[in-house]
Amino acid sequence: MADGLPDLSARRSRLLGTGERRGLAVSSASTVIVLAALVLLFLLAPGSRAVRHTFFNPADMWRAFVGDPAKGYYSVGEAIWLNIRMFVVAEILILILALVVAVVRQSTGPALLPLRVVSTVYVDVCRGVPLILLIFAIGFGAPALSLRFISSQSAAVYGVAALVISYSAYVSEVYRAGINSVHRSQVAAARSLGLTEGAAMRHVILPQAVRTIIPPLLNDFISLQKDTALVGVLGSIEANKAAELFSDTTFNYSSYVVAAILFLLLTIPLARFTDHLIARDRARRLAGAGQ
Amino acid sequence: MRHITVAAVAAITALTGGVGLAACGSTASSSAGSGTSASASASTASCTNSSIQSELYAKGVLTVATDKPVYPPWFENNTPTNGQGYESAVAYAIAAQLGFAKSKVTWAYEPFDNSYAPGPKKFDFDINEISYSATRAQVVTFSNSYYPVQQALVALKTSPIVTKHTPAELKTYVYGDQVGTTSLAFINSQIQPTQTPKVFESLNDVKQALQDKQIAALVTDTPTAQYISSAEISGSVMVAQFPSTGEHYGLLFAKGNPLVTCVNKALATLTSNGTLAKLQAKYLQIYTSVPTIKP
């Protein structure tokens, strides 16, 4: 078999084996057939033409991407920058605030009890309240207070504040899980070396905890990137709002597909990076176990 | 509120009036053309209650859709079924023309964002301050006008915009409007402010932003502006209205719905016998004292 390329064929059979190769052929064929059936179903549906015109019209997608304020809609491509700026700032603040909350909740000193109660209530409440309600409450509540600095911020600032408050509650629990995953003997060892509780946390526990929680952390951040779209309810023009303006103006939903593609372009690289980190971490641990 | 100005139309209509709509784009002429032929054939078409039964969404009843919540002066008490408010009254007047008793009119809830989705509609027509535009008419069918639209400004009495609103001064303020309305196109194409306007999900959010001073003025149609300033936000005032750009509200039908022919005939009757004018006087309180300023 495959006389012309003996090397390649030999390597392939080593990798896959005869049975596996048949399996590959079957899985490729079934994938192609299923995809083709789905595409056909879409193309042959009675409303296919209308759906393609309304959702996937290239001309409308381009118009939505570049925008035309004088006609009543803004560029979706430009609006996504606001989402990007919001989630970058939010992610940095969340990493800090969530760590503080997690460390406070894990603290054991009796003097810190009030802080522990406050942070426990904070996590319970802010994880339980729908994000959109939090955005409304801050976005309309803070300006209504008529305070000099707090009440004069832009909608994006209030939106980021709401995102930080909501997501820090989630992420603090991720931190806490990471901290709890470090074996107690590590704390005992650190304390027996003469480190204070704080120093043990700082130099022994957290470095190990953070390594464990990077994948779930990035998972939350992917979710956060999409949730920046909710800030549009405060009146600022982010990608989802720009898309809504286009569709309301022209009665064509292609702009939403443009926004979806832009969000995918942001989240897929992060998802692949997360996978890479998980694989690397797993490889390291397995290597460690073998030694 | 839910209305759109095509910039070109705004420019042309000053010279040509409503005819400018038909001149805007190739598809526009066909849709406007079908509108004209519909009203022309309406005079000959039979529009008795029994003859339109096959064109109805639900047999025996006229299903009219609108959004939630609905606002005065278009509806009263957020209740479309009470026949009060301009749009509710117009819907029942059309129903009467088509031979439906008041009990034979049912109301469906249709969010504006869903009203133009492809696929079958759950209503005969949607009445929700939706403006005709040539682009929109590619996807849905509009009836003829039941109200001509002008944009107006509402601000807090303490705001500088109340006294300082020359075209140059108007450019310096932050404006707000409700998503999907023609007001945004009006702001950007006519007022051309230096700062990006804010666009909110509902009219209530825009009003809140005005009270919070997040925006200097809100832009909406004159009747809504008049209602907000006189009854809803104490300490607010309707600064002025802007000249007409040729916009009008139309009833929204599924693309190609034949019922539009008879509804247009009903609208023509209601216009010629003075019913629409009477309802406008009753609900929309168009005071002649409203000043008109240039954007």
Side-chain angles (χ1 to χ4, degrees):
Chain A
M1 65 184 232
D3 290 333
L5 296 161
D7 283 356
L8 189 68
S9 137
R11 196 200 272 168
R12 236 163 143 204
S13 56
R14 218 182 307 133
L15 278 173
L16 290 170
T18 337
E20 286 176 28
R21 217 178 333 153
R22 194 185 301 132
L24 186 71
V26 171
S27 64
S28 324
S30 68
T31 308
V32 168
I33 289 169
V34 168
L35 281 179
L38 285 175
V39 169
L40 263 182
L41 186 72
F42 175 72
L43 290 177
L44 295 179
S48 175
R49 227 183 117 254
V51 169
R52 272 180 289 148
H53 171 79
T54 323
F55 288 92
F56 302 102
N57 186 341
D60 278 309
M61 287 168 77
W62 176 249
R63 273 197 290 274
F65 183 73
V66 295
D68 187 347
K71 286 185 180 169
Y73 52 88
Y74 293 96
S75 160
V76 178
E78 205 179 301
I80 195 91
W81 279 116
L82 180 60
N83 298 74
I84 294 172
R85 278 180 289 159
M86 285 196 292
F87 74 65
V88 166
V89 173
E91 280 168 11
I92 294 168
L93 295 175
I94 288 165
L95 282 176
I96 299 167
L97 180 61
L99 180 60
V100 171
V101 172
V103 169
V104 166
R105 282 197 77 182
Q106 285 303 100
S107 65
T108 47
L112 290 176
L113 179 70
L115 280 180
R116 276 202 294 282
V117 171
V118 167
S119 49
T120 307
V121 170
Y122 158 72
V123 171
D124 283 357
V125 171
C126 292
R127 266 198 314 178
V129 174
L131 178 54
I132 188 102
L133 297 185
L134 210 55
I135 292 175
F136 268 120
I138 295 176
F140 286 116
L145 289 173
S146 303
L147 294 169
R148 180 172 293 189
F149 176 73
I150 292 176
S151 300
S152 57
Q153 299 300 317
S154 75
V157 172
Y158 297 129
V160 168
L163 288 170
V164 169
I165 289 171
S166 175
Y167 269 86
S168 293
Y170 282 100
V171 172
S172 77
E173 288 301 285
V174 174
Y175 269 121
R176 228 157 60 89
I179 292 169
N180 284 333
S181 76
V182 179
H183 199 272
R184 278 174 168 231
S185 62
Q186 297 281 331
V187 189
R191 296 302 299 272
S192 70
L193 286 173
L195 268 66
T196 61
E197 194 185 332
M201 178 65 86
R202 158 90 180 76
H203 296 289
V204 179
I205 314 290
L206 283 182
Q208 299 184 69
V210 165
R211 212 185 75 178
T212 320
I213 63 164
I214 283 177
L217 207 56
L218 290 180
N219 196 34
D220 278 347
F221 282 173
I222 289 170
S223 177
L224 170 73
Q225 293 187 356
K226 296 176 298 173
D227 279 352
T228 53
L230 295 175
V231 178
V233 299
L234 296 182
S236 53
I237 313 291
E238 48 72 48
N240 189 53
K241 171 73 80 178
E244 186 185 8
L245 281 171
F246 179 86
S247 68
D248 279 352
T249 304
T250 63
F251 284 13
N252 187 300
Y253 295 100
S254 297
S255 52
Y256 284 116
V257 176
V258 174
I261 291 171
L262 291 175
F263 274 110
L264 279 178
L265 288 178
L266 293 177
T267 53
I268 287 181
L270 194 52
R272 289 289 76 78
F273 182 61
T274 311
D275 282 354
H276 166 73
L277 286 183
I278 293 171
R280 197 185 65 178
D281 194 50
R282 186 176 150 76
R284 274 189 190 161
R285 286 188 198 198
L286 289 179
Q291 276 167 357
Chain B
M1 289 175 286
R2 306 287 197 187
H3 35 77
I4 207 70
T5 313
V6 178
V9 173
I12 301 165
T13 38
L15 297 168
T16 60
V19 186
L21 289 164
C24 184
S26 55
T27 44
S29 57
S30 67
S31 58
S34 69
T36 325
S37 63
S39 52
S41 62
S43 53
T44 55
S46 163
C47 288
T48 60
N49 190 277
S50 54
S51 71
I52 60 171
Q53 288 298 324
S54 62
E55 296 166 358
L56 295 175
Y57 166 70
K59 215 169 165 51
V61 293
L62 185 67
T63 311
V64 185
T66 193
D67 208 343
K68 267 183 197 172
V70 285
Y71 301 96
W74 309 105
F75 295 91
E76 302 286 346
N77 297 326
N78 197 14
T79 313
T81 49
N82 61 13
Q84 302 292 306
Y86 182 69
E87 290 191 328
S88 181
V90 166
Y92 281 108
I94 291 169
Q97 288 291 318
L98 298 176
F100 292 97
K102 203 179 171 197
S103 60
K104 294 289 179 194
V105 178
T106 58
W107 289 83
Y109 165 47
E110 185 73 8
F112 173 66
D113 284 3
N114 305 14
S115 65
Y116 52 89
K121 305 263 187 261
K122 297 175 299 198
F123 53 80
D124 290 316
F125 62 77
D126 187 8
I127 182 164
N128 183 24
E129 302 114 74
I130 304 173
S131 272
Y132 168 88
S133 85
T135 321
R136 287 174 164 184
Q138 287 178 260
V139 188
V140 296
T141 292
F142 282 102
S143 74
N144 292 335
S145 168
Y146 64 89
Y147 185 71
V149 184
Q150 278 178 271
Q151 302 286 333
L153 278 178
V154 179
L156 297 179
K157 280 174 187 158
T158 50
S159 169
I161 199 173
V162 175
T163 49
K164 296 190 173 69
H165 46 249
T166 65
E169 286 165 340
L170 281 176
K171 294 189 196 306
T172 62
Y173 299 102
V174 180
Y175 297 93
D177 86 319
Q178 186 188 359
V179 70
T181 70
T182 30
S183 303
L184 182 61
F186 183 86
I187 293 167
N188 281 330
S189 63
Q190 306 289 313
I191 304 177
Q192 299 172 340
T194 52
Q195 297 175 77
T196 309
K198 294 190 172 179
V199 184
F200 296 90
E201 290 300 310
S202 77
L203 196 55
N204 282 339
D205 294 347
V206 193
K207 290 181 259 187
Q208 185 62 44
L210 182 72
Q211 287 171 294
D212 288 353
K213 296 176 186 155
Q214 289 176 283
I215 54 175
L218 71 81
V219 181
T220 183
D221 58 66
T222 305
T224 306
Q226 218 150 25
Y227 182 78
I228 290 174
S229 58
S230 63
E232 289 204 313
I233 305 179
S234 60
S236 75
V237 61
M238 180 170 146
V239 179
Q241 64 177 351
F242 294 106
S244 168
T245 55
E247 270 185 68
H248 64 264
Y249 289 158
L251 308 168
L252 183 150
F253 293 76
K255 183 74 179 162
N257 185 342
L259 186 63
V260 72
T261 309
C262 287
V263 168
N264 277 336
K265 192 182 170 192
L267 277 172
T269 310
L270 294 171
T271 308
S272 60
N273 70 12
T275 307
L276 284 187
K278 218 181 294 170
L279 292 175
Q280 283 170 17
K282 181 173 178 189
Y283 293 111
L284 303 182
Q285 307 159 12
I286 303 301
Y287 306 122
T288 45
S289 61
V290 176
T292 300
I293 59 171
K294 281 185 188 153

